[in-house]
Amino acid sequence: QRLSDGSTVIYNFDITRQKLAEEALRDSETRLRDFVETTADWVWEQDADQRFTYISDRLAEISGVALETFLGRTREEVIGDTADDAQWAELRAAAAARQPFRDLVYSVEDADGARHHFKVSGRPLFDEHGRFTGYRGTGTDVTQQTAAEQAVRAAENRLRRIVEELPAGFALFDAEDRLVMWNRRFAAASEPVA
């Protein structure tokens, strides 16, 4: 800069710290983006009205459910009447108290009518004044796990019906000699005679 007396003033600023901070911020953002893009799960965010404002593309990749199914809508609007009442009550209580929640399972029907089961966890977000601004969390597609659990329960129920219909008493003991399954004929034969 040239002054009125004809002399020149040169300003010299050391911006090394600023450049290092900017580089660290870029590295941190890159690391976070890499984690989000490579996770087996997905991440999501909701606003203060608990409408989805962001869901990572991984949800659509894993489940085939379009992101538009969620964006701009509340979880209740997405789920409809498919939620488990006990878990839904737990989520409502946590949301009303602005508390975190973990492992809420619910199901969503995709455009082809297939049912997908999701497990989500979230934590509340607050601004610098302590005002609630929404939730941020993760989700996992547990459709295959849920289907396997349902198949096991159905097989157990069939086995119980078959055992109950046997014409003789039946008892099954485990490796430690504990009674784990029996039918009513076995129970009747095992009752002490008065």
Side-chain angles (χ1 to χ4, degrees):
Q1 176 179 358
R2 186 167 295 278
L3 300 178
S4 60
D5 66 359
S7 62
T8 303
V9 176
I10 298 175
Y11 295 98
N12 187 8
F13 297 101
D14 184 1
I15 59 170
T16 305
R17 285 188 183 139
Q18 179 181 346
K19 289 297 183 185
L20 290 173
E22 289 172 359
E23 185 177 324
L25 179 59
R26 274 193 305 278
D27 289 346
S28 178
E29 289 172 347
T30 300
R31 287 180 66 216
L32 179 60
R33 190 176 312 107
D34 288 346
F35 285 132
V36 168
E37 290 174 0
T38 60
T39 183
D41 302 331
W42 64 88
V43 294
W44 55 268
E45 198 167 49
Q46 292 175 317
D47 63 16
D49 296 324
Q50 296 185 31
R51 294 189 178 282
F52 287 101
T53 57
Y54 174 80
I55 297 181
S56 60
D57 293 340
R58 188 79 176 121
L59 170 63
E61 293 171 23
I62 293 171
S63 68
V65 176
L67 299 182
E68 293 75 29
T69 302
F70 294 88
L71 293 175
R73 300 171 71 196
T74 66
R75 190 170 276 114
E76 287 178 320
E77 291 170 340
V78 171
I79 297 170
D81 60 0
T82 64
D84 174 277
D85 288 337
Q87 282 204 329
W88 207 238
E90 182 182 325
L91 174 63
R92 282 190 183 118
R98 308 300 191 231
Q99 295 294 314
F101 59 88
R102 180 167 292 288
D103 297 337
L104 170 75
V105 178
Y106 64 91
S107 62
V108 174
E109 194 172 288
D110 68 17
D112 298 327
R115 184 137 312 270
H116 298 269
H117 302 278
F118 301 136
K119 180 169 36 175
V120 296
S121 298
R123 64 180 280 277
L125 304 172
F126 301 92
D127 67 13
E128 64 275 1
H129 303 291
R131 288 185 297 251
F132 174 70
T133 60
Y135 272 93
R136 185 177 293 146
T138 61
T140 302
D141 187 336
V142 293
T143 303
Q144 291 181 345
Q145 176 186 344
T146 302
E149 290 168 356
Q150 290 170 345
V152 167
R153 280 193 299 275
E156 288 172 347
N157 289 337
R158 281 193 305 275
L159 178 60
R160 283 190 184 95
R161 285 194 307 272
I162 291 168
V163 166
E164 195 55 47
E165 296 302 320
L166 290 173
F170 174 87
L172 177 65
F173 293 86
D174 69 10
E176 295 169 0
D177 208 26
R178 292 181 297 217
L179 181 62
V180 292
M181 182 183 284
W182 63 93
N183 64 8
R184 69 176 181 268
R185 287 186 174 88
F186 174 82
S190 301
E191 288 181 7
V193 177

